[in-house]
């Protein structure tokens, strides 16, 4: 490869290759008799001054490689299934971290495999935008006087810094936690200014996230929110559980459901606000009503295994015949990152850093290679 030079035109979709016909490793001078063969695969092929020149049209070339590789591989003839893949699912106002990156890549592969098998696939990104932590974000924003959301140029990081600042403050001031809970309570009941601002924050964050997904060529069919399942929605399900006599009050005055003799899972706090699990129960029921899925995959790290086991068990308790259609696809937890302490790494920064390092290496290398073209595209 050391003698293969690549240049690329202004239009980055076309790469021009220059291949010397002779080097100390090989001699193609007599082999290039019929350049028509080569013409079938490449564009603008020419042999001049002991060099062969040709263009590669990126999209055509990739298509050809993929189609050739697929030759002979056909999906088995099975009944088409209706599949939901929920993946990525970062929390808004917090950084998209490496754990979410893993979920994004694995989830996208699972979705692609299912599409290849001709299943009906819906890709859902379920954004975490609910819970007491958002009370903290609000307090942090007020501390810094960040009122005009329209002004944000970097919403995710701004919101994240607010969250970290409020947490720092809470270390020395115990009232902050109560205050954050109160703000979230107001959000749950959708009745004020705070809720209106929340809608704006969500919009900004999606725009920002989409930029990152674009770099990874990942496209979602639906963005859904934890805030779609507010206390009101969850209440209907809680009433049903009461009717079925599944609930009791735990030591903290939370409503809890017994999933086994030893295990109670709290699903509503004493102040009437919802919990992560209650929102997931409501979301699963809602999605089943909308999609009648055969399987719903949740691509989420190992650390949430108990959560998903509880979810499936609770759906069984509610006599929902489809409870076992939920599958938790796990992957190893990424250690050493804490959003609360502010040590999480942003995906955007990781991609930028990787790009920078690769570029640097390319510049240091003696000759340019195909890699440099790829790097310049990301
Ligand atoms: N937002 C969550 C987190 O970052 C992951 C959500 C996973 N999906 C779910 N349906 N609970 O930890």
């Amino acid at each position: 490869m050391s003698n293969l030079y690549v240049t690329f035109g202004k239009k980055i979709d076309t790469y021009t290759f220059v291949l010397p016909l002779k080097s100390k490793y090989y001699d193609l001078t007599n082999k290039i008799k019929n350049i028509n063969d080569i013409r079938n695969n490449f564009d603008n092929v020419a042999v001049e001054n002991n060099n062969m020149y040709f263009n590669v049209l990126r999209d055509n070339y990739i298509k050809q490689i993929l189609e050739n590789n697929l030759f002979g591989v056909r999906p088995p003839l099975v009944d088409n299934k209706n599949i939901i893949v929920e993946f990525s699912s970062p929390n808004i106002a917090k950084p998209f971290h490496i754990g979410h990156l893993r979920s994004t890549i694995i989830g996208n592969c699972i979705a692609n495999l299912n599409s290849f098998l001709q299943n009906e696939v819906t890709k859902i990104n379920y954004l975490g935008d609910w819970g007491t932590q958002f009370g903290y974000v609000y307090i942090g924003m007020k501390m810094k006087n960040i009122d005009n959301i329209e002004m944000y140029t970097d919403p995710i990081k701004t919101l994240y810094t607010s969250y970290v600042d409020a947490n720092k403050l809470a270390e020395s001031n115990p009232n902050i936690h109560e205050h954050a809970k109160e703000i979230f309570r107001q959000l749950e009941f959708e009745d004020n200014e705070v809720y209106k601002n929340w809608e704006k924050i969500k919009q900004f964050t999606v725009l920002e996230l989409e930029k990152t997904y674009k770099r990874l060529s990942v496209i979602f069919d639906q963005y859904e929110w934890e805030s779609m399942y507010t206390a009101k929605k969850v209440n209907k399900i809680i009433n049903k559980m009461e009717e079925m006599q599944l609930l009791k009050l735990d030591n903290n005055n939370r409503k809890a459901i017994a999933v086994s003799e030893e295990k109670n899972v709290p699903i509503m706090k004493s102040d009437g606000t919802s919990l992560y699990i209650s929102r997931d129960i409501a979301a699963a029921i809602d999605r089943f009503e909308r999609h009648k899925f055969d399987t719903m995959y949740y691509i989420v790290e190992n650390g949430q295994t108990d959560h998903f086991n509880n979810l499936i068990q609770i759906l069984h308790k509610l006599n929902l015949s489809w409870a076992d259609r939920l599958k938790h696809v796990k992957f190893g937890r990424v250690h050493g990152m804490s959003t609360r302490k502010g040590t999480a790494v942003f995906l955007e920064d990781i991609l930028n850093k990787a790009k920078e390092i690769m570029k640097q290496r390319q510049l240091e290398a003696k000759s340019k290679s195909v890699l440099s073209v790829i790097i310049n595209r990301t």
Side-chain angles (χ1 to χ4, degrees), residues 86 89 91 126 128 226 257 259 263-267 274-284 287 296 298-316 323 326-330 333:
E86 189 225 92
S89 309
N91 300 315
Y126 178 61
E226 284 190 35
I257 179 166
V259 288
K263 196 169 176 193
N264 290 321
V265 179
I267 53 165
S274 61
L275 287 158
Y276 181 48
I277 182 85
S278 31
R279 296 190 284 276
D280 256 326
I281 299 167
R287 288 179 198 169
M296 172 154 66
Y298 293 92
I299 323 298
V300 187
E301 64 170 15
N302 265 340
Q304 298 199 24
T305 302
D306 279 353
H307 171 80
F308 285 102
N309 285 343
N310 291 342
L311 173 62
I312 294 168
Q313 280 176 313
I314 292 170
L315 296 175
H316 272 298
L326 271 52
K327 308 277 177 222
H328 176 202
V329 178
K330 311 161 197 184
R333 197 169 183 166

Side-chain angles (χ1 to χ4, degrees), residues 44 102 116 133 167 259 363 378:
N44 279 355
R102 274 201 191 161
F116 177 70
Q133 72 237 42
N167 267 286
V259 288
L363 289 174
T378 52

Side-chain angles (χ1 to χ4, degrees), residues 224-242:
E224 301 197 342
W225 308 90
E226 284 190 35
S227 60
M228 285 163 64
Y229 306 102
T230 56
K232 271 192 203 155
K233 279 241 175 152
V234 170
N235 258 334
K236 276 198 205 149
I237 297 161
I238 297 210
N239 289 343
K240 189 165 174 220
M241 289 174 174
E242 306 261 29

Side-chain angles (χ1 to χ4, degrees), residues 35-53:
I35 65 169
N36 280 335
D37 284 354
I38 304 168
R39 282 208 170 104
N40 290 340
N41 289 313
F42 300 107
D43 211 52
N44 279 355
V45 184
V47 176
E48 255 176 58
N49 303 333
N50 272 335
N51 280 325
M52 185 168 82
Y53 298 85

Side-chain angles (χ1 to χ4, degrees), residues 348-370:
E348 202 198 336
D349 296 337
I350 296 170
L351 294 183
N352 289 344
K353 189 82 196 161
K355 179 177 167 183
E356 200 184 289
I357 292 174
M358 287 174 81
K359 238 179 171 169
Q360 192 55 37
R361 298 239 166 111
Q362 284 301 311
L363 289 174
E364 283 160 16
K366 280 200 190 96
S367 64
K368 289 184 183 176
S369 74
V370 181

